[in-house]
Amino acid sequence: MGPAMIAEKKKAILESTLKLIKENGFHGTPMSQVAKKAGVAAGTIYHYFDSKDTLIMELFSYTQYMIQAAMQESLREDMDFRENFFLRWISRCQFYIQNPDVLFFIEQFVNSPYFPRCSKEQNEFSQNEIIQFIRLGHQNGILRDLDPKLMSIMIHSSIMTAAKVHLDGKFSLAEKEFKQLAQMIWDSIRKL
Amino acid sequence: MGPAMIAEKKKAILESTLKLIKENGFHGTPMSQVAKKAGVAAGTIYHYFDSKDTLIMELFSYTQYMIQAAMQESLREDMDFRENFFLRWISRCQFYIQNPDVLFFIEQFVNSPYFPRCSKEQNEFSQNEIIQFIRLGHQNGILRDLDPKLMSIMIHSSIMTAAKVHLDGKFSLAEKEFKQLAQMIWDSIRKL
Amino acid sequence: MGPAMIAEKKKAILESTLKLIKENGFHGTPMSQVAKKAGVAAGTIYHYFDSKDTLIMELFSYTQYMIQAAMQESLREDMDFRENFFLRWISRCQFYIQNPDVLFFIEQFVNSPYFPRCSKEQNEFSQNEIIQFIRLGHQNGILRDLDPKLMSIMIHSSIMTAAKVHLDGKFSLAEKEFKQLAQMIWDSIRKL
Amino acid sequence: MGPAMIAEKKKAILESTLKLIKENGFHGTPMSQVAKKAGVAAGTIYHYFDSKDTLIMELFSYTQYMIQAAMQESLREDMDFRENFFLRWISRCQFYIQNPDVLFFIEQFVNSPYFPRCSKEQNEFSQNEIIQFIRLGHQNGILRDLDPKLMSIMIHSSIMTAAKVHLDGKFSLAEKEFKQLAQMIWDSIRKL
DNA sequence: AATGAATGAGGTTTCATTCAT
DNA sequence: CATGAATGAAACCTCATTCAT
């Protein structure tokens, strides 16, 4: 079930949690606040989620679906591999910039004790599309000889880091800088 | 005051907190457990730290000093720029691998609401040495034309990501892989 | 909102606090004991009061309402000024004797750092009725020329002191002694 | 042993406690703060006092001695009974005004659970001189027929109340008002 | 005598969760 | 389904007191 089919209230709870965790961290986000922001009673949350842990675990799935959905929109088939890579790198970076709550939630989540409890599928779900793309690059002899999963992790890390830098406000990245960064990453993965 | 001069008990508290946060996160690390692991009474912690927040903020400083100290040891002057970069990249990666508590604490810290409360000096402290090194590369026309701070953040992100991948146990990186990764990052920052 | 409309549990908490503070002082009245005596869980207190301080501040308001309500009952219009004064003096004194918790709480409260935090209205609320009465006495040329607020404070002090003496058990004041004391105060405020 | 013979440090501790209790109440006056203000180590307090309770009990004795000493200075024998009363009433009121710490400490103390633990002598000590004076007034047929202890308590209460009003800043009492108030109390105790 | 780091019981408060309505 | 008052375990923190120096 994708986000489109999620009950109105359940979605409100997820979105509220997302925002609150970005602002206050796991630590500073009590269920009572989630309820308030979502406009539901505290008890209502427990109709949709067994516990706070469950809510957070499902929120991770929810963000992974969001990302995947957003990425599928931006794909186009009528370009060469390099152009495709640039499009993907920049699209994903812009997705995080437009959804900073998602970015900061994921960063907190993957570094928390929650993450190891995810199933393998869960935690690779939103990466699969990148991995497939890398495999294609390998088959065509374009990319360096490095495990696709590892390559995907390194790429993804560069995307999130760039988005965080931009959101921090320290370096406001314009199109030029995005291209520069994508170029850097491209040069790091392609065969020279 | 560097870590070397920190009172025995204060250090025990810092180290215990570091380990517990790695294992259980901020959330799952009550002061009572810190006290227990450090072998002191709960109240003693408050002799050294005003509050849990203060403890965590100081722990970040403490890790930055550790990193800086470790890095200074590994520096050598008798090599060219490229070799120097490889040495630095791999040394720092190995430091994190040998100190996973530090790595996971920092990852949690920089993505939490604590981080924005650090002074500018604090949060750039352990990066200064990399930034200086990048400036040198710019002066010698070796590196791409990109803001040194931004470049340093991207490099550091690659280091932490590699270390995390190794520690996750998914990909056990041997010397060959470290060199491969360092080569990738090198190709992303140097002028081609 | 007067005490009559206060939720059952809120009232139980206020009354329990009142009794415990009389017996053990602010200091010796932990929230856990309040909860126990009120028959609620510790956390429930925080449903009704933000903090212990808030509870104590509201308890003061609560006592002021109690006093005002009790005093309004005892007023009669069919008597001359002097008789009216006696009735009021003795009624209030008897109120404190019948409600020693209120008396001792107020004495502790007004001499504590809490009192200066009351609004002007709060801390004069239960005195207003006396002040009005004194103004009437001034208009009719019966009372000495002294600021009504000051006079009211002096009168109220005499009432509380008399009640405390009686409750101490050192001097059990019977009707005769109450009249004697009221007479003394009367002679101190009237024009001779 | 009067205050004159108290060891320097012991006195510093008593005086510091007095000031802190006035400002923050019993509740808000930890031993650590007392130590700091007195310029001694926390442990040192326990050389002079068995416990915090003991410190507070002794502080009450200390204030009683202070009052008695101050009152003895102000007495003069060359005046009639009424003048003598005025002098005493006003002197004591002014003592409290000049020593607000003493006033507020005593008010808090006598309404706290500490007070009932005082010996009879302790808690009547500073009143004895007033009581003797009242007895003299009875023998000479000047005063109303009321138990001297009760009369003394009522008088003392009027003094403290007047001093508190003045210190509150609500009514700044000048000589005229002090005389007016003393006159009121005089009219309440003398035979009319 | 004096120190102050250390203690740990116990204080206030929070918050995930339940359940009667 | 939804509510939100109520719960109580457990969190953070305080502070009277001790004791090695």
Side-chain angles (χ1 to χ4, degrees), chain C residues 49-63:
Chain C
F49 306 95
D50 280 349
S51 66
K52 191 177 185 181
D53 278 15
T54 306
L55 166 56
I56 289 173
M57 296 294 284
E58 281 203 36
L59 187 47
F60 181 63
S61 301
Y62 178 72
T63 59

Side-chain angles (χ1 to χ4, degrees), chain A residues 15-33:
Chain A
E15 295 284 353
S16 303
T17 310
L18 202 53
K19 275 178 199 126
L20 288 168
I21 288 179
K22 193 225 147 171
E23 284 163 33
N24 312 311
F26 287 111
H27 197 96
T29 304
M31 295 296 258
S32 55
Q33 259 187 56

